[in-house]
């Protein structure tokens, strides 16, 4: 793993430049995330879903049935966050949870017929999101690849947090 950049020296740009808000990658990502959230809130309102619930449904539309643990891994959510989401989706009649017959410690989540039917209504959400971004399919793919690369790098940095202090 490469070492993180060090603080600028006398020959570099002034130190204050590195502390400007508009130079922070994390701020740009956060602002984009908030903007996405606003668009998703509008689009998902008619479906009766929040964005985190929509993510659960996306995973289940793709896999039909998943253990809660695997669902949490896919969505990068801990059980304390995922359990209330699943409880609300189950109360809404979209998913069903039950203990695995093979392993009683494992809880399986599967779509109900209503959850399966909601997929058709949700089909236009990605199309509308793509239109809202104004990106071509290629630009969206390139951005997604860069964000995935960033996520992997940051996951690695978090695992090796000693490198952050060098």
């Amino acid at each position: 793993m490469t070492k993180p950049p060090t603080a600028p020296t006398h020959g570099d740009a002034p130190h204050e430049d590195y502390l400007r808000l508009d130079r922070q990658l994390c701020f740009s990502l956060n602002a984009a995330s908030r903007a996405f959230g606003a668009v998703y809130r509008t689009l998902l309102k008619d479906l009766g879903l929040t964005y985190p619930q929509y993510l659960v449904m996306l995973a289940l539309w793709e896999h039909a049935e998943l253990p809660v643990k695997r669902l949490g891994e896919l969505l990068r959510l801990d059980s304390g966050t995922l359990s209330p989401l699943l409880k609300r989706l189950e109360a809404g009649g979209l998913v069903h949870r039950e203990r695995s017959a093979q392993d009683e410690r494992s809880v399986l989540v599967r779509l109900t017929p209503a959850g399966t039917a909601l997929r058709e209504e949700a089909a236009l959400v990605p199309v509308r999101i793509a239109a809202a971004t104004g990106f071509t399919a290629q630009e969206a793919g390139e951005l997604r690849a860069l964000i995935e690369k960033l996520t992997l790098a940051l996951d690695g940095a978090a695992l090796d947090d000693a490198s952050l202090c060098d």
Side-chain angles (χ1 to χ4, degrees):
M1 175 179 229
T2 61
K3 285 195 165 210
T6 58
T9 61
H10 295 297
D12 294 332
H15 181 68
E16 321 59 80
D17 286 352
Y18 286 92
L19 295 177
R20 288 178 49 113
L21 184 60
D22 63 357
R23 301 239 3 226
Q24 307 307 306
L25 181 58
C26 58
F27 179 74
S28 295
L29 287 169
N30 185 59
S33 179
R34 291 175 57 85
F36 261 119
V39 174
Y40 271 106
R41 253 187 312 284
T42 301
L43 294 175
L44 296 176
K45 183 178 173 190
D46 291 339
L47 299 178
L49 297 174
T50 63
Y51 180 70
Q53 291 169 340
Y54 174 69
L55 295 179
V56 169
M57 296 303 291
L58 285 173
L60 291 172
W61 289 327
E62 185 177 343
H63 298 282
E65 175 183 282
L66 287 167
V68 171
K69 181 177 180 179
R70 179 66 184 135
L71 185 58
E73 291 167 353
L74 285 172
L75 300 177
R76 300 174 65 101
L77 296 174
D78 61 49
S79 62
T81 302
L82 186 56
S83 291
L85 283 173
L86 294 174
K87 188 175 184 177
R88 286 192 297 276
L89 288 169
E90 190 170 35
L94 299 175
V95 304
H96 177 71
R97 293 181 291 172
E98 67 183 53
R99 294 236 172 252
S100 168
Q102 289 79 25
D103 181 358
E104 284 192 12
R105 297 170 297 171
S106 179
V107 175
L108 298 174
V109 183
R110 72 172 51 100
L111 293 166
T112 64
T116 301
L118 188 62
R119 185 181 195 277
E120 194 171 316
E121 289 182 57
L124 286 179
V125 172
V127 174
R128 290 184 174 144
I129 289 294
T133 67
F135 288 164
T136 65
Q138 181 177 342
E139 289 171 329
E142 290 168 358
L143 179 58
R144 192 172 39 258
L146 283 171
I147 292 171
E148 288 170 3
K149 181 179 176 180
L150 173 65
T151 302
L152 284 172
L154 293 174
D155 282 348
L159 292 175
D160 184 26
D161 64 4
S163 71
L164 297 175
C165 299
D166 289 345

